[in-house]
Every structure is written in C-alpha cells, then in structure tokens.
C-alpha cells in the first residue's frame, strides 16, 4: 500500500536532514501518491509515501507514532486479520485512536514484542522504533510479498522499499554487483540477499533485523513447511484467503486473464462478497494473442462487470525504459509491461487489485520442471544400457548425452541463459569477478539441496522459497509503479503449508495409465500438460463452478513469439542500444562476441534466443540508467 524509507545512525545522537529523507522518499512517490510524511528521532529518520486503503483519514498517515508507547513505524502492506487482533488487544485494555492496521501493529508489538509477527496474516515490510529498548526493527513478511532493501554506510544503515530511494541518500555511491548481473541473465532475477547493486542488500523473507546500541541481530521467524492443516479442503482455504484479501476501505478489483488461477480468484470474490468486483483483462494489440473470450466467459458465468483494456506492444522501448526506471530493475519478463499498463488502467478507478500469482508454484503449474523426478528415473534406467544405444535414446527424449546429477538436471532446465553460453560472451574481467560463475552456481546448489528431502520436495521448496519470492517482487513493483496495490491470496501461508504437504501425484497426475507409458519415450517439453494434468486440486475442486474451457485448457503464459521479435524489425531500437554505440553492458559482455552471437542466433530465431536477447537488452537499459 505504500513506499517506505529510513536511516538509522550508529551514533546515539545524530541529527538527520529532513530534506534528505524527503528527497529519498520522493524517488518512490509512485508507490504512495496520496500522502507523504517524515519523522526524525534521536538517531533515526523514517519517511513514508502513502497509498490510502485502510482508514483513509489523515490520522493514519505515516510515519505513525503510537500515542501510549511512543512506538514509531513506517509500514508498507496489509494485515488482513487486523480487526480480530484489535478485538483481542481491546480486551486487554488497549485504546485505539484510529481504524488502521498500522496502529494494530504498534499495539501488538507493545503487548507481545517481536513475537507478534506470528499472529499477523498478510503482507508487510516495516521499520519500527521501540523507545522502551531504543531498538529499531526491520521486518519482512513470510513469503517476501512486500520488498525491503537495506545498505550499510559508514555512519548508519539506510533502508527502503526499492533501491532507488537508497541511491539518493547523500554520499551513497552505488556500484553494480557482477554476481547480481550474472544471476539476472541466467534466472531473470537476483536470488538470495544480493541485489544488482553490490552495496545494497535484500532483506530475506520472513526475517527481522534488530539494531540496538551499535549491535545487530538477524533472525528468520518463519519457514515454509508441510502442514496438512487437519486436511482442510483446499477450496475452503482459498475461499477464506480471498475473503480476507478483500479487507479495504476502497473498492477492490481483480485481474482476469481467462486462465485457471485468476478465474478462481474472481469466482471466490463473488462467492464471499455481496459486491461484484470489476474484472480487468488486457489485450495486447497486434500480438495475435487474445485470451479475452475465455475471460469473458468466466465473467459471464460469475456475473461480474468486465473491462477489456487494449494495450500497446509489450516490447515498446519507451514503456520498457519507463518501467525499468520506476522499478529500479531490468524487466525479466516481457509481460511486465502489459501488467504495468493494465495496472495503470485499473488505477483510474481502483487502488487494490487481486491477482492469481502463486498457484503455479504451489500446485505444480510448471510441469516441465516438476516432472524432473521422472527424467531422473529415466536417466537412471538408461545408465544400464550400452552408451551407443543410450545416447540415441537420450537425444530423443531430451536428456543430455551423459548422465548428470539431480542438481545439474534442475539447473539446465531452469536457467534461461545456459552457463557456458553466457560465459562465452563474458569479458575476462567479468568472468574473473564472478569466479567463472562458481559463486552463483554454488549458491543455487546449496539453496536447491536445502529446499527438501526428495527431488520432488526440493523442486517445490525451491519454487516457494526463491522463484516465488522473485515473482512476487516483480508483481509488487510493477503494479505499484502505477500506484496500485496487488494482493495475492494464493500465497496465504496456510495454503502454502497445505500445498507443500501434498504428495507429488496429488498436484500433478498422468491423464491415464497409457499416457504414463507413452511419456516414457517422449521429451517432457512435448508431453507437458498433454499427457499429464497440472494443478490437480484446483481443477478438481472448481470443475463444477467454472467453465470447462478454463478447467481443461493448458497453461498459456504470454506467448509473444520472442524469437521472431528479436530477429525482426521491432527489436531494432534495442539492437541500436547494443550495437550502434559503446553500450553500458560492455563492462560485462564482449560486444564483438555479442554481435557474432546475435547474428548466428537470429538466423534460427528460437524463442529461447528471444528470451536471452530480452534479458540482455533490458540489462543494457538498466545499466545506462545507473
């Protein structure tokens, strides 16, 4: 709902500049266009940009000072169960002066300390100063729905919802992190605590950081773990989560792509509210891509207002450049521009929009990845066959010529830019700086192997703890760039725990026994969502209430033919940035090698090449800005 910024000085008494705080907050004014505020304490300063959603009265503007304890907070997010927590606190004598969830956080902290986090259901990132202990806490929600960055300086620590505000702090000098660049090119995101700036860190999800008297303590306060939740039906849990996500003092809209996930959210809104929310569907002009008939069928079935929003090209360089500046991050996906422009349209009448993100990660929507245990089994069986026969079979079913480890198989399938191909374009200086990519690969390996105790559990765990977090930050920054708050009910932590408790076959099943047999001689890329069925619990539970066209159709992401785009005339503005002058990316990529790579790949123009060129050209725009 907002953008936050602040600075915490090491010295006990250090006057901070109000002008400096306000200039930094102005960098993220798009996140909170309704109000701005600033509070300066003995050794800290908090700034805030507000998007008013709960308790619209100026009394709830931030930074907020709790009247009874003097607790100060700058907060971004929503606590969906704040009203029930308020009742519990009132029974213990708390007196409230606002109707906001912000005041509930302060009262809850005063009553229960930092353990109050376990009682919150919602999305949040905040800084809180406790005068009783003179400690300042930085806190991030369980799944990392709301972003939080921080940076150490010689005199203290700066923090913000986005790096752009930290970059404006007086005397702070930014430098690009070479490993962050490598992570972005390979995985469309910077994983772990790194960012694209070597001196700006990301607060991990479900983590609090306490600064007190020059000392620092950091602790993870929640981890995604399997929990059957007494076998509560998934539909019941999703419905309850959607109902909670409707808490607002302003109207709520929803995005409706016509796919399964957004259709479920739209249905559950109508099932738990007397108001019929407006459903927004974007139609990208000239791309030959239109899911609006499916969305219209859903809207007619659940009897809600439906708006079609014509959108310009997803690859318009002016829009891409604008969004990169607002996000302070290159675009990893070409549909981010469409989401941003759709959010702008929503923002003309609404401040809150519900989306279906999270369902794919929780319920095996990416069957191409979630079927890797099947490839591991085939890989093991082929090890018993003489090499001269097995290599032919391996090529036919899409496996490497030689047997590889589970992690290598995952990495090869998951990476957008194969490591060897990326390094073939690297300058010698960048290759040395990233240690031949060993640092990134070792981090990925550790993160993957720690995510579960079996191949299926490791894939599911990695997607929840790392892939989903990066996706949610993209959704947050892209919609907040238009001053609209996106809410993601599928990521309710109780649904996460329940989904992780399911057996793999409960989420991803074969269409028939014959389909499983046929799949044995077929590459995963060919049989995915043809011979098997993804997101089984969602399809089973909602088959009676949603159109069959939505239940049975395969996942359709955003099938812009990127290979054709990258090789065609539409990508020329991006190519000109890279090849008609000395590009900023020359610090990392050998421009001569890049041009030779482009010419050879453009002759074949696969979509994999198109995705890689998209990442490179977006990184170039970002580097020019920073």
């Amino acid at each position: 709902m907002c953008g936050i910024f602040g600075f915490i000085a090491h010295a006990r008494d250090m006057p901070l500049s109000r002008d400096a705080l306000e200039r930094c907050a102005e960098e993220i004014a798009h996140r909170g266009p309704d109000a701005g505020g600033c509070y300066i304490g003995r050794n800290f300063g908090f700034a805030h940009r507000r998007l008013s959603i709960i308790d619209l009265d100026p009394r709830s503007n931030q930074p907020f000072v709790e009247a009874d304890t003097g607790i100060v907070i700058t907060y971004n997010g929503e606590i969906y169960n704040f009203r029930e927590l308020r009742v519990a606190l009132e029974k213990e004598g708390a007196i409230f002066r606002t109707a906001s969830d912000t005041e509930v956080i302060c009262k809850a902290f005063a009553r229960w300390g930092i353990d109050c986090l376990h009682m919150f259901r919602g999305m949040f990132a905040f800084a809180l100063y406790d005068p009783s202990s003179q400690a300042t806490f930085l806190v991030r929600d369980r799944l990392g729905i709301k972003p939080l960055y921080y940076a150490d300086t010689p005199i203290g620590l700066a923090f913000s919802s986005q790096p752009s505000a930290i970059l404006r702090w007086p005397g702070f000098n930014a430098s690009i992190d070479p490993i962050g660049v490598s992570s972005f090119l390979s995985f469309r995101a910077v994983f772990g605590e790194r960012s694209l700036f070597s001196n700006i860190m990301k607060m991990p999800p479900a983590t609090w950081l306490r600064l007190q008297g020059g000392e620092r303590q950091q602790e993870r306060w929640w981890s995604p773990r399997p929990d059957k939740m007494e076998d509560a039906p998934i539909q019941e849990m999703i419905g309850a989560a959607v109902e909670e996500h409707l808490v607002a003092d302003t109207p709520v809209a929803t995005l409706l792509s016509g796919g399964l996930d957004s259709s479920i959210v739209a249905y559950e809104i109508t099932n738990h509210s007397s108001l019929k929310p407006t459903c927004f569907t974007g139609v990208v002009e000239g791309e030959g891509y239109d899911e609006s008939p499916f969305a219209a069928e859903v809207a007619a079935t659940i009897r809600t207002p439906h708006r079609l929003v014509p959108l310009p090209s997803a690859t318009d360089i002016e829009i891409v450049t604008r969004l990169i500046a607002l996000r302070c991050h290159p675009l990893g996906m070409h549909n981010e521009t469409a989401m941003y422009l759709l959010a702008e349209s929503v923002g003309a009448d609404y401040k809150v929009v519900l989306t279906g993100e999270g369902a794919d990660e929780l319920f095996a929507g990416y069957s191409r990845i979630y079927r890797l245990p099947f490839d591991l089994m085939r890989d093991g069986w082929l090890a018993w066959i003489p090499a001269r026969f097995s290599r032919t079979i391996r090529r036919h079913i899409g496996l490497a010529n030689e047997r590889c480890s589970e992690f290598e198989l995952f990495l090869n399938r998951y990476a957008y830019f194969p490591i060897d191909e990326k390094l073939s374009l690297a300058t010698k200086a960048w290759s040395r700086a990233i240690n031949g990519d060993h640092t990134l690969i070792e981090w990925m390996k550790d993160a993957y192997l720690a995510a579960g105790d079996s191949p299926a559990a490791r894939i599911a765990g990695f997607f929840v703890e790392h892939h989903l977090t990066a996706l949610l930050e993209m959704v947050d920054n892209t919609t907040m760039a238009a001053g609209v708050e996106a809410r993601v009910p599928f990521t309710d932590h109780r649904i996460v725990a329940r989904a992780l408790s399911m057996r793999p076959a409960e989420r991803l099943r074969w269409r028939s026994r014959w389909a499983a047999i046929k799949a044995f001689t077929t590459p995963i890329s060919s049989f995915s969502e043809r011979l098997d069925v993804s997101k089984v619990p969602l399809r089973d539970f909602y088959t009676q209430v949603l159109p069959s066209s939505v239940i049975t159709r395969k996942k359709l992401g955003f099938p812009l033919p990127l290979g054709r785009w990258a090789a065609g005339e539409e990508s020329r503005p991006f190519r000109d940035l890279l090849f008609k002058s000395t590009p900023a990316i020359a610090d990392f990529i050998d421009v001569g090698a890049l041009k030779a790579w482009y010419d050879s790949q453009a002759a074949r123009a696969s979509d994999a090449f198109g995705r890689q060129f998209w990442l490179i050209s977006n990184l170039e725009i970002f580097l020019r800005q920073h």
Side-chain angles (χ1 to χ4, degrees):
M1 68 172 187
C2 301
I4 65 174
F5 175 80
F7 191 87
I8 306 151
H10 296 319
R12 181 162 297 183
D13 290 288
M14 175 177 286
L16 297 174
S17 165
R18 178 177 294 271
D19 286 345
L21 288 163
E22 290 176 346
R23 279 197 304 271
C24 291
E26 191 62 29
E27 284 293 315
I28 51 174
H30 55 274
R31 296 182 64 93
D34 294 335
C38 185
Y39 181 93
I40 297 177
R42 287 178 60 184
N43 73 324
F44 71 95
F46 290 170
H48 192 267
R49 294 295 313 197
R50 187 181 184 196
L51 182 66
S52 304
I53 293 172
I54 292 177
D55 190 6
L56 309 185
D57 193 286
R59 66 190 176 184
S60 291
N61 285 352
Q62 296 184 47
F64 182 83
V65 182
E66 203 280 313
D68 297 325
T69 61
I71 287 173
V72 187
I73 189 171
T74 182
Y75 153 56
N76 171 32
E78 309 290 351
I79 306 299
Y80 300 123
N81 63 330
F82 81 97
R83 292 191 177 113
E84 89 181 45
L85 290 173
R86 176 179 174 132
V87 170
L89 288 162
E90 284 177 329
K91 287 180 180 178
E92 299 199 19
I95 298 173
F96 287 85
R97 296 166 177 83
T98 75
S100 70
D101 56 340
T102 307
E103 189 177 12
V104 168
I105 293 176
C106 295
K107 297 280 191 185
F109 181 88
R111 177 65 183 84
W112 297 302
I114 197 64
D115 287 341
C116 68
L117 298 176
H118 297 280
M119 302 176 183
F120 297 160
R121 298 199 297 271
M123 54 181 185
F124 47 88
F126 62 81
L128 180 148
Y129 174 75
D130 176 19
S132 66
S133 63
Q134 297 185 28
T136 303
F137 286 86
L138 300 182
V139 177
R140 197 172 180 200
D141 65 59
R142 293 174 179 86
L143 272 297
I145 303 170
K146 285 297 179 182
L148 185 58
Y149 289 82
Y150 68 94
D152 285 303
T153 77
I155 62 171
L157 180 144
F159 66 86
S160 182
S161 300
Q162 294 181 196
S164 49
I166 297 174
L167 296 175
R168 285 294 302 276
W169 186 250
F172 185 80
N173 296 312
S175 59
I176 300 298
D177 180 13
I179 296 175
V181 169
S182 183
S183 181
F184 173 76
L185 287 178
S186 279
F187 309 120
R188 303 187 309 187
V190 183
F191 285 138
E193 297 183 43
R194 292 182 181 275
S195 77
L196 280 166
F197 301 96
S198 59
N199 41 359
I200 298 179
M201 307 294 288
K202 277 188 298 210
M203 175 75 75
T207 300
W208 56 255
L209 175 66
R210 180 172 62 193
L211 298 102
Q212 182 181 31
E215 296 183 356
R216 180 182 301 190
Q217 180 185 358
Q218 182 170 312
E219 184 173 306
R220 182 154 192 177
W221 59 273
W222 180 85
S223 294
R225 293 289 181 266
D227 188 344
K228 289 185 177 295
M229 303 289 288
E230 299 180 356
D231 290 325
I234 282 293
Q235 183 182 6
E236 182 180 309
M237 297 179 72
I238 294 171
V242 168
E243 184 174 17
E244 281 196 340
H245 281 65
L246 297 176
V247 172
D249 293 329
T250 61
V252 176
T254 189
L255 299 186
L256 180 61
S257 69
L260 178 63
D261 311 335
S262 63
S263 299
I264 289 172
V265 171
Y267 165 77
E268 289 293 358
I269 294 175
T270 63
N271 199 31
H272 289 88
S273 172
S274 59
L275 300 175
K276 298 294 185 182
T278 299
C279 299
F280 286 80
T281 301
V283 181
V284 180
E285 298 171 346
E287 302 294 2
Y289 168 71
D290 184 7
E291 285 189 288
S292 61
F294 298 101
E297 187 178 5
V298 173
T301 300
I302 61 179
R303 300 178 181 179
T304 61
H306 186 213
R307 292 191 199 175
L308 296 179
V309 181
L311 302 174
S313 171
T315 56
D316 185 306
I317 194 169
E318 292 185 7
I319 299 170
V320 170
T321 301
R322 185 201 322 164
L323 183 54
I324 289 173
L326 289 167
R327 279 202 60 194
C328 194
H329 199 280
L331 311 187
M333 300 170 63
H334 50 287
N335 63 352
E336 291 178 45
T337 54
M339 178 174 278
Y340 165 59
L341 294 168
L342 188 56
E344 278 194 325
S345 181
V346 171
D349 298 298
Y350 297 89
K351 295 181 179 181
V352 180
V353 66
L354 270 63
T355 79
E357 269 76 18
D360 283 320
E361 290 73 19
L362 297 176
F363 299 104
Y366 307 109
S367 63
R368 189 177 66 88
I369 301 289
Y370 277 83
R371 277 294 179 202
L372 285 182
F374 183 71
D375 263 353
L376 283 171
M377 178 193 69
R378 295 194 289 187
D379 200 37
W381 286 2
L382 288 170
W384 295 94
I385 298 175
R388 63 182 182 276
F389 300 120
S390 67
R391 284 184 183 143
T392 301
I393 299 172
R394 284 173 176 278
R395 282 195 297 272
H396 177 70
I397 64 176
L399 289 176
N401 285 336
E402 304 294 335
R403 189 176 186 185
C404 58
S405 70
E406 175 193 335
F407 170 70
E408 290 171 328
L409 188 62
F410 172 79
L411 188 65
N412 291 339
R413 197 66 53 85
Y414 184 76
Y416 282 77
F417 222 127
I419 305 298
D420 291 343
E421 187 176 359
K422 181 179 64 178
L423 290 177
S424 72
L425 303 177
T427 63
K428 291 181 180 179
W430 185 40
S431 185
R432 285 195 303 269
I434 61 178
N435 190 25
D437 235 17
H438 292 303
T439 302
L440 177 62
I441 294 171
E442 285 304 306
W443 185 93
M444 284 287 291
K445 184 176 183 179
D446 291 344
Y448 175 77
L449 295 178
D453 55 9
S454 69
R458 284 189 278 274
I459 293 167
F462 182 90
F463 266 85
V464 168
E465 294 200 53
H466 303 290
H467 181 96
L468 180 57
T469 296
L471 172 67
L472 293 175
E473 179 164 353
M474 180 278 290
V475 172
D476 174 87
N477 282 336
T478 302
T479 56
M480 291 297 281
V484 173
E485 176 182 271
R487 297 182 178 180
V488 280
F490 278 112
T491 62
D492 181 287
H493 68 278
R494 297 163 297 181
I495 296 175
V496 171
R498 180 69 181 89
L500 290 177
S501 74
M502 293 180 174
R503 293 179 292 105
E506 292 182 84
R507 295 184 289 176
L508 181 64
R509 72 181 174 213
W510 298 110
R511 291 191 180 274
S512 66
R513 186 172 297 178
W514 167 244
I517 296 171
K518 186 177 180 181
F520 192 83
T521 60
T522 309
I524 288 180
S525 58
S526 297
F527 75 64
S528 176
E529 296 195 67
R530 293 180 175 85
L531 298 179
D532 59 11
V533 181
S534 65
K535 296 188 279 195
V536 170
L538 304 185
R539 298 185 198 278
D540 284 352
F541 278 118
Y542 289 93
T543 189
Q544 301 300 320
V545 295
L546 291 175
S548 60
S549 60
V550 171
I551 297 295
T552 58
R553 63 194 286 242
K554 66 175 291 187
K555 177 178 174 61
L556 187 63
F558 194 78
L560 173 69
L562 274 181
R564 190 179 69 194
W565 165 79
E569 193 61 29
E570 282 185 291
S571 73
R572 184 166 297 281
F574 296 87
R575 301 203 307 270
D576 287 348
L577 291 178
L578 291 166
F579 302 134
K580 280 202 168 180
S581 60
T582 302
I585 207 170
D587 287 339
F588 306 94
I589 298 290
D590 182 292
V591 180
L594 179 64
K595 185 65 169 67
W597 171 85
Y598 175 86
D599 290 341
S600 66
Q601 293 290 327
R604 297 188 293 272
S606 69
D607 282 347
F609 153 67
R611 286 189 289 269
Q612 292 165 349
F613 184 73
W614 175 262
L615 293 170
I616 289 172
S617 54
N618 269 261
L619 182 61
E620 170 64 22
I621 295 171
F622 170 81
L623 291 172
R624 284 175 180 244
Q625 293 177 355
H626 296 283

